[in-house]
Amino acid sequence: QVQLQESGPGLVKASQTLSLTCTVSGGSISSGTFYWTWIRQPAGKGLEWIGRIFTTGDTNYNPSLKSRVTISVDTSKNQFSLKLTSVTAADTAVYYCARVNCGGGDCSFDYWGQGTLVTVSS
Amino acid sequence: DIQMTQSPSSLSASVGDRITITCRSSQIISSYLNWYQQRPGKAPKLLIYAASSLQSGVPSRFSGSGSGTDFTLTISGLQPEDFATYYCQQSYSVPRTFGRGTKVEIK
């Protein structure tokens, strides 16, 4: 059973960099028709896709965040990471990492981490 | 970006009811449409992928249909654990986008 777990500071000061790591267990991050993604959800609001990374290192980002986001992967640790620079209160949200499964003729987010709340303080 | 519009934004129903949630995309996305359930304080859970394929382990009372721009999620025989928020999501193009959600509440 694949499991994902987010980790990182729960409190970040405005203008600084938010850094989170997602650790994948129960399977290799490099195997299969999978890639890896970050999604966030402000309190009481909907879901926003941040970006994705293939194990080749190729990435795609949401244009709304592209200038501030970097997603990277460390296959030796079975982890992938998110960095978001110059954060503001608008970046306060629960951040989820998820696996993207493209094996069914479609790409869907089939496994999710439990989510981690990141609060941006002034 | 492809805009995803869900309706209704909320609905009240009783255990045993059959309900339908609609999702419309701002452009044709073929069958690249997924549905998720989110219970309070929990991560979303994949229910339906490719518009109509049931994710492994998901009860058969959940079903999806549609293609092009119009999609539906149907729950036949609501159970107490089904009271949650449901999101559609398109996987046709980047950036991936979600609907705003439909909250299913107990009547």
Side-chain angles (χ1 to χ4, degrees):
Chain A
Q1 176 79 346
V2 173
Q3 293 185 314
L4 293 86
Q5 178 68 58
E6 305 90 351
S7 59
L11 189 64
V12 180
K13 291 185 178 179
S15 80
Q16 296 192 344
T17 297
L18 178 160
S19 296
L20 296 174
T21 295
C22 183
T23 300
V24 180
S25 59
S28 170
I29 200 170
S30 302
S31 68
T33 53
F34 309 127
Y35 52 94
W36 309 91
T37 194
W38 288 97
I39 293 160
R40 70 180 183 178
Q41 185 174 36
K45 296 189 178 180
L47 298 157
E48 180 180 31
W49 182 80
I50 298 171
R52 66 183 181 186
I53 189 163
F54 299 82
T55 51
T56 57
D58 291 338
T59 55
N60 297 103
Y61 300 129
N62 193 321
S64 67
L65 299 169
K66 186 174 184 178
S67 64
R68 299 193 292 129
V69 173
T70 302
I71 298 175
S72 59
V73 65
D74 186 338
T75 54
S76 67
K77 294 182 178 179
N78 236 32
Q79 295 177 334
F80 62 106
S81 298
L82 169 70
K83 290 189 186 299
L84 182 66
T85 62
S86 305
V87 297
T88 69
D91 296 310
T92 294
V94 174
Y95 286 75
Y96 295 100
C97 59
R99 188 180 83 169
V100 188
N101 187 346
C102 295
D106 179 26
C107 293
S108 56
F109 309 135
D110 66 345
Y111 284 95
W112 295 65
Q114 65 186 22
T116 188
L117 174 62
V118 179
T119 302
V120 177
S121 67
S122 54
Chain B
D1 299 5
I2 297 175
Q3 306 304 314
M4 307 301 293
T5 303
Q6 281 183 243
S7 62
S9 57
S10 65
L11 65 89
S12 295
S14 301
V15 172
D17 283 353
R18 179 177 184 270
I19 67 165
T20 298
I21 298 169
T22 297
C23 179
R24 176 167 289 175
S25 55
S26 61
Q27 63 187 73
I28 292 171
I29 60 170
S30 185
S31 296
Y32 295 102
L33 190 284
N34 306 307
W35 289 98
Y36 301 86
Q37 175 194 67
Q38 187 177 33
R39 297 187 177 113
K42 299 296 186 181
K45 172 187 173 183
L46 177 65
L47 298 176
I48 301 285
Y49 63 93
S52 60
S53 295
L54 192 67
Q55 173 68 354
S56 176
V58 174
S60 59
R61 64 180 179 272
F62 292 91
S63 63
S65 64
S67 66
T69 60
D70 294 306
F71 304 87
T72 59
L73 172 70
T74 299
I75 310 175
S76 300
L78 266 176
Q79 297 299 301
E81 61 268 29
D82 300 337
F83 293 94
T85 300
Y86 294 84
Y87 294 94
C88 62
Q89 174 250 327
Q90 62 83 17
S91 56
Y92 181 82
S93 67
V94 171
R96 304 305 198 214
T97 48
F98 293 85
R100 291 189 172 187
T102 296
K103 187 174 184 179
V104 177
E105 299 176 301
I106 300 173
K107 183 182 287 184

